Amino acid sequence: MEKIFQYIDQHKKEYLDELFTFLRQKSISTRDEGVSECAELLAEIMKKSGIESKIYATDRHPVVYGESINDENAPTILVYGHYDVQPPEPFELWESDPFQPEIRDGKIFGRGTSDNKSQLFAHIKGFEAYLRTQGKVPINMKYIFEGEEEIGSPNLEVFADGHKDLLKSDAAIFSDSHVHESGKPMTILGLKGMTYVEITLYGANRDVHSMKAPTVPNPVWRMIELLSTLKGEDGLVKIDGFYDDVRPLLDLEIEAVKKIPLDKEAIMKDLGITKLVQNRTGDHYYYNLIFEPTCNIAGIFGGFTGEGSKTIIPNKVTVKIDMRLVPDQDPDDIYEKFKKHLIKHGYGDAEVKHHGMITPSRTPIDNPYVAVANEAITDAWGEEPLVFPGIGGAGPNYVFTRNLGIPCIVVPFASADQNNHAPNENMSVNGFMNGIKTAASIIDKVSKMRR
Ligand SMILES: [Zn+2]
């Protein structure tokens, strides 16, 4: 790899120049600004790097697909990324033009730098560097870059289901999010899922004078009683069968989590709290964060919220609840169990709305491609990554693990202060260069895997 890494270092300026052209091309998916132009530019960049590319239309923004098929008997890696970006507003908080990238203090500033253009670009250049130095790439590479991630990837699953042969691979790898706060590289093997519900309870057909409180039912009190049936003081969710499908953890997964550096005091100080929630499995912060499914009250609205006092019995109350799920809880099944719970406890009259769901995903830590990714990162960054069996957030990794049936490994290149979605989004030049090296090293390590 030494020779390839040297080549990559020597081409830093060209990489940055080409990346800047890519960054200057707007691709704001929320308002259809420049997205298809960006797809064309990306397809061009891939071609120049030795990847055959093709643009596929979807219902909204196109998918840019690419491949380099070299050996039928060799493994195939599928690289995912997204070329769309968040809107740049508010402009006045940017220190430089969001679409005129510039480097300050070792960071590239601009919209889409870390999320996700530089990170996917690093994979393309890693491939190119391998090809240019070795003459040929011994494994098969496929690339799927969508233009809709920032609007919730409405067509990613549809595209994957409709192109299973095209996307057939042995593992999916992508780079989004950021490395650990400490600057240590990391791999992320899973994301939580979600079932989001809204429940409304009604009382009288209008707000009623509170002198009638001894006689007219108050839906807010009823909601409080309902909510208290959902979760115990022990932190356990009390919905029948809620934990039935939670996948047992591997010892290696528990060990990996124990290795993640933790400063509980700093976390509490940052949030201005004196206590963290303890769950059924103990009080290890990362264990809870990664492995515990939740039933969280995201909002509660009802009755008089104005200034001063007003004496009423509110006629309705609404609560929004997000349940973050872990493998192999099924979001639809959890929704059904939630509704049954309401009926069982006498709230069958509650109005229930379902606001979307995401399937959880976790690639087992002992999957051979996880080892490959970890070794490649160690080569490129000069230190071993922290391995996160999952993170608290939810996302579309299940499209790879469930729909395509392959392991999915996230190898972030951006730093923790990337400001994604915010003004002054940035990507560290060092992370970008290490990303190119990681991508090249992945090809090398996969080519040496025993099948
Ligand atoms: Zn984003």
Side-chain angles (χ1 to χ4, degrees):
M1 287 309 297
E2 209 46 46
K3 212 179 112 196
I4 303 179
F5 286 176
Q6 248 176 30
Y7 174 92
I8 291 171
D9 284 330
Q10 284 161 2
H11 289 76
K12 184 173 172 181
K13 194 185 168 303
E14 285 99 310
Y15 295 150
L16 287 170
D17 282 349
E18 200 178 354
L19 172 66
F20 278 27
T21 306
F22 186 34
L23 291 169
R24 277 192 284 264
Q25 173 59 54
K26 290 181 189 176
S27 52
I28 306 167
S29 48
T30 49
R31 54 179 188 238
D32 300 19
E33 200 177 331
V35 184
S36 54
E37 291 87 339
C38 193
E40 271 163 40
L41 175 62
L42 176 56
E44 232 9 79
I45 290 171
M46 290 163 81
K47 263 179 215 153
K48 273 196 275 168
S49 301
I51 301 164
E52 272 181 55
S53 60
K54 190 175 164 186
I55 296 174
Y56 286 83
T58 74
D59 280 349
R60 193 153 170 202
H61 299 308
V63 164
V64 183
Y65 172 81
E67 63 179 30
S68 165
I69 306 297
N70 303 294
D71 179 353
E72 258 180 34
N73 298 312
T76 303
I77 299 294
L78 177 65
V79 174
Y80 161 83
H82 68 90
Y83 64 88
D84 63 323
V85 302
Q86 285 275 323
E89 294 79 6
F91 281 113
E92 62 278 14
L93 296 182
W94 284 82
E95 280 173 41
S96 52
D97 186 327
F99 294 103
Q100 291 301 331
E102 61 173 58
I103 297 176
R104 302 190 298 273
D105 308 324
K107 293 171 185 168
I108 310 157
F109 285 86
R111 177 52 89 227
T113 47
S114 60
D115 184 12
N116 177 236
K117 282 176 168 171
S118 310
Q119 303 209 52
L120 75 84
F121 189 82
H123 280 279
I124 298 172
K125 292 296 143 181
F127 173 91
E128 186 193 83
Y130 195 101
L131 181 64
R132 299 272 150 84
T133 52
Q134 308 302 300
K136 87 184 259 280
V137 171
I139 62 167
N140 307 310
M141 296 298 298
K142 295 184 175 180
Y143 299 85
I144 172 174
F145 298 134
E146 66 160 323
E148 299 186 327
E149 198 269 351
E150 302 295 3
I151 53 169
S153 303
N155 288 301
L156 180 63
E157 191 173 355
V158 181
F159 185 84
D161 284 342
H163 299 85
K164 284 205 164 142
D165 274 340
L166 184 75
L167 301 177
K168 194 172 178 301
S169 310
D170 295 287
I173 289 183
F174 71 89
S175 300
D176 205 348
S177 185
H178 59 79
V179 299
H180 191 256
E181 286 76 11
S182 61
K184 270 188 189 299
M186 57 195 252
T187 44
I188 302 167
L189 307 181
L191 291 173
K192 282 188 177 170
M194 185 175 295
T195 294
Y196 200 114
V197 295
E198 176 182 317
I199 21 178
T200 301
L201 288 176
Y202 293 93
N205 59 8
R206 58 187 181 275
D207 288 352
V208 176
H209 195 299
S210 76
M211 73 180 179
K212 298 203 174 141
T215 56
V216 175
N218 184 327
V220 180
W221 272 122
R222 229 180 131 225
M223 182 61 86
I224 290 166
E225 286 150 17
L226 181 160
L227 293 174
S228 69
T229 67
L230 288 172
K231 197 164 167 251
E233 279 174 28
D234 55 4
L236 279 168
V237 179
K238 301 293 186 196
I239 299 166
D240 284 344
F242 186 78
Y243 295 99
D244 281 1
D245 298 321
V246 172
R247 189 193 300 172
L249 297 175
L250 303 172
D251 289 342
L252 282 174
E253 287 168 338
I254 298 170
E255 276 168 39
V257 157
K258 285 187 184 150
K259 285 189 200 147
I260 302 171
L262 171 66
D263 186 345
K264 263 207 256 186
E265 294 306 317
I267 291 168
M268 291 194 286
K269 197 173 161 221
D270 175 52
L271 296 173
I273 53 176
T274 52
K275 218 175 110 188
L276 290 164
V277 174
Q278 296 211 355
N279 278 295
R280 68 200 164 106
T281 39
D283 64 352
H284 190 282
Y285 180 80
Y286 279 113
Y287 188 109
N288 291 340
L289 189 72
I290 294 167
F291 298 131
E292 283 292 331
T294 60
C295 177
N296 175 60
I297 299 170
I300 174 161
F301 325 86
F304 176 65
T305 54
E307 270 194 43
S309 66
K310 183 184 179 194
T311 49
I312 53 151
I313 304 167
N315 84 309
K316 71 168 191 173
V317 58
T318 297
V319 166
K320 290 178 191 269
I321 292 174
D322 63 80
M323 288 174 275
R324 286 188 184 262
L325 311 177
V326 297
D328 295 309
Q329 289 176 302
D330 174 67
D332 274 326
D333 175 62
I334 293 293
Y335 179 59
E336 291 308 317
K337 284 172 174 161
F338 183 86
K339 283 198 298 190
K340 273 191 201 136
H341 175 92
L342 296 184
I343 293 165
K344 178 182 163 186
H345 290 270
Y347 302 101
D349 59 312
E351 188 180 283
V352 186
K353 281 188 202 160
H354 195 187
H355 288 302
M357 46 170 208
I358 303 168
T359 302
S361 157
R362 185 190 306 137
T363 293
I365 196 166
D366 55 4
N367 183 285
Y369 286 96
V370 174
V372 161
N374 289 340
E375 285 166 24
I377 290 174
T378 308
D379 262 13
W381 293 71
E383 59 179 323
E384 272 182 45
L386 298 167
V387 181
F388 280 65
I391 53 172
N397 287 21
Y398 69 89
V399 173
F400 304 103
T401 53
R402 187 192 65 183
N403 299 47
L404 297 179
I406 54 176
C408 177
I409 301 156
V410 186
V411 293
F413 304 144
S415 29
D417 61 355
Q418 61 175 330
N419 289 329
N420 54 336
H421 294 211
N424 304 310
E425 178 179 348
N426 65 83
M427 173 79 199
S428 98
V429 176
N430 195 36
F432 172 62
M433 294 301 290
N434 283 347
I436 300 174
K437 291 175 185 171
T438 304
S441 187
I442 287 171
I443 294 173
D444 181 61
K445 305 280 176 215
V446 171
S447 72
K448 292 172 181 157
M449 274 173 97
R450 276 170 192 240
R451 298 211 95 195

